[in-house]
Amino acid sequence: MDFGLDEAARKRCEAIDADVRAHWAGVRAVADPAAARANFRAAGRIGLTGLSLPAEVGGAGLGALDTALCLEAFGRACPDTGFAFAVAAHLLACAVPVRDFADDRVREQLLAGLASGELVAANAMTEDGAGSDVGALAVTARPTADGYLLDGEKSWASNAPIADLVVTYAATDPAAGFLGLSAFAVPTDLPGVVLGEPLPKMGLVGCPAGRVRFENCLVPAEYLLGGEGQGAAVFQHSMAWERACLFGIYLGTMARQLEECVEQARERRQFGRRIGEFQAVSHTLVGMRQRLEAARLLLLRACWLLDRGEEHVTEVALSKIAVSEAAVANSLDALQLFGGRGYLTGGAEEQLRDSLPSTLFSGTTQIQRELVARQLGL
């Protein structure tokens, strides 16, 4: 096992770190769709929106491992974790399935815009009655001579209020459950696509999220991803990439958070001593470092397996559990270490709010444990 980065990967991550700090230094997370669109274009110029897309469309052509390393650099340098999440969701849950399942005409139409950040994509799977139970989708796609008529509403889609494209899933054969789902890349300028207003959230405010409604929306057949009834396979593929790579952002956020906590422990004085000299504080910082390093190893192994085309369900699920739980635990420790200052708006309290949804999106922690249990034969 070689734990070192090759020269190209090291330079790539250093360049992302420098570019992101130059553009987002001191930026505060705000729930502003107009700002989010401008940020997407800036991220596109840095290359973040096309990390894993082919070079011929303006992407970097990276595999899962190198994509995760770049997203870690992004998360470490960007003070707005919500926006970093928005970019990763756009890339991994939307652009990747277009890359791997769209027909040539649609790939030619969409991938360059997705890579540049000029097109913003949203992933719409969740419904009011179907979250983890994706086999219970109520949105339907009825085949017609010209394509598919989509009807129904998605309850939660990151980037939806500013999306130019929605990757969504609908039942083409409702009686078949999970096996009757189909996936679509739906341009939001099609008649019958209604994007809701941004939903109020406790964290990740830099990523606008909203409802998506399809009102007798005719989607041309060319926008079908994979074949009819292949929606489950498309979704599992996109979730493997998202669960394996997106959480690199949280590794970066935790690394930045740890640096801030160590600086606080060195500078803050109580009872005539730096607080880092108290064992209760120093051991807390060691625990934060341990969680970060252990989670990073699990994530990189999951991405390595994904790149090799080997079985990765267990490793991706374990990685997702480890990173998300470490992010929450470290944020609670950071809040405690900063005390009253940490409770003020921004800083530790914001990191805690941004860490909490990591245990929910891309499949809850409980669902990840169920996946591992099945792999154990339970």
Side-chain angles (χ1 to χ4, degrees):
M1 294 180 289
D2 183 357
F3 291 98
L5 296 184
D6 62 39
E7 187 69 6
R10 184 182 63 78
K11 289 184 176 179
R12 188 184 302 118
C13 291
E14 288 176 352
I16 288 174
D17 183 278
D19 288 343
V20 171
R21 289 182 192 276
H23 192 275
W24 280 281
V27 171
R28 299 296 309 154
V30 292
D32 181 356
R37 285 208 71 99
N39 280 333
F40 259 95
R41 289 191 291 272
R45 290 191 291 270
I46 295 172
L48 293 164
T49 50
L51 291 171
S52 52
L53 299 183
E56 57 265 27
V57 298
L62 301 180
L65 180 55
D66 283 319
T67 296
L69 291 171
C70 290
L71 290 176
E72 180 177 354
F74 186 18
R76 186 169 187 156
C78 183
D80 185 350
T81 302
F83 175 65
F85 168 82
V87 169
H90 155 97
L91 174 65
L92 302 167
C94 304
V96 164
V98 171
R99 178 197 72 185
D100 293 338
F101 295 99
D103 70 20
D104 290 341
R105 289 175 299 170
V106 171
R107 283 165 51 89
E108 183 176 352
Q109 175 189 348
L110 298 176
L111 281 184
L114 293 172
S116 70
E118 290 299 319
L119 296 180
V120 177
N123 175 49
M125 168 60 94
T126 304
E127 300 176 6
D128 288 335
S132 299
D133 184 8
V134 297
L137 295 186
V139 172
T140 59
R142 182 165 55 85
T144 71
D146 300 316
Y148 295 84
L149 279 175
L150 268 63
D151 276 293
E153 185 167 280
K154 299 294 183 177
S155 62
W156 180 280
S158 296
N159 297 330
I162 60 171
D164 304 290
L165 180 76
V166 173
V167 172
T168 194
Y169 301 84
T172 44
D173 183 2
F178 199 63
L179 299 177
L181 304 183
S182 296
F184 301 89
V186 183
T188 57
D189 59 1
L190 289 179
V193 179
V194 181
L195 303 178
E197 292 297 314
L199 297 169
K201 310 193 303 297
M202 70 175 291
L204 299 179
V205 297
C207 174
R211 302 177 78 91
V212 180
R213 189 166 69 254
F214 303 103
E215 298 177 344
N216 209 31
C217 174
L218 178 60
V219 178
E222 66 191 61
Y223 291 112
L224 179 69
L225 298 178
E228 187 175 311
Q230 294 299 305
V234 175
F235 181 68
Q236 289 171 347
H237 179 76
S238 70
M239 283 299 99
W241 274 82
E242 182 170 283
R243 291 167 182 164
C245 300
L246 180 147
F247 287 84
I249 288 169
Y250 280 97
L251 296 179
T253 300
M254 282 190 282
R256 169 166 46 88
Q257 179 185 65
L258 181 58
E259 290 175 355
E260 294 167 353
C261 288
V262 169
E263 182 179 2
Q264 169 78 350
R266 288 173 174 163
E267 294 183 354
R268 173 75 167 164
R269 300 184 70 87
Q270 291 288 280
F271 305 102
R273 301 164 62 186
R274 295 180 301 172
I275 63 172
E277 296 176 25
F278 293 101
Q279 188 179 78
V281 173
S282 64
H283 284 196
T284 295
L285 292 169
V286 171
M288 294 173 69
R289 175 68 183 271
Q290 179 184 356
R291 293 188 201 107
L292 169 59
E293 297 296 343
R296 177 183 284 121
L297 289 175
L298 282 171
L299 183 142
L300 296 180
R301 183 181 65 164
C303 292
W304 179 76
L305 288 170
L306 186 58
D307 280 339
R308 290 167 62 91
E310 297 185 15
E311 178 57 45
H312 53 261
V313 172
T314 292
E315 288 76 14
V316 168
L318 290 173
S319 165
K320 202 267 188 187
I321 293 169
V323 177
S324 59
E325 292 190 342
V328 173
N330 281 15
S331 294
L332 287 168
D333 283 344
L335 187 68
Q336 192 72 27
L337 188 143
F338 277 92
R341 177 183 163 194
Y343 194 62
L344 298 176
T345 300
E349 66 84 25
E350 184 176 338
Q351 292 165 353
L352 177 59
R353 287 188 288 107
D354 287 344
S355 71
L356 291 172
S358 70
T359 66
L360 303 175
F361 60 71
S362 304
T364 64
T365 297
Q366 291 78 9
I367 286 295
Q368 304 311 309
R369 290 196 166 98
E370 281 297 307
L371 293 173
V372 177
R374 291 176 192 173
Q375 295 297 309
L376 291 172
L378 300 176

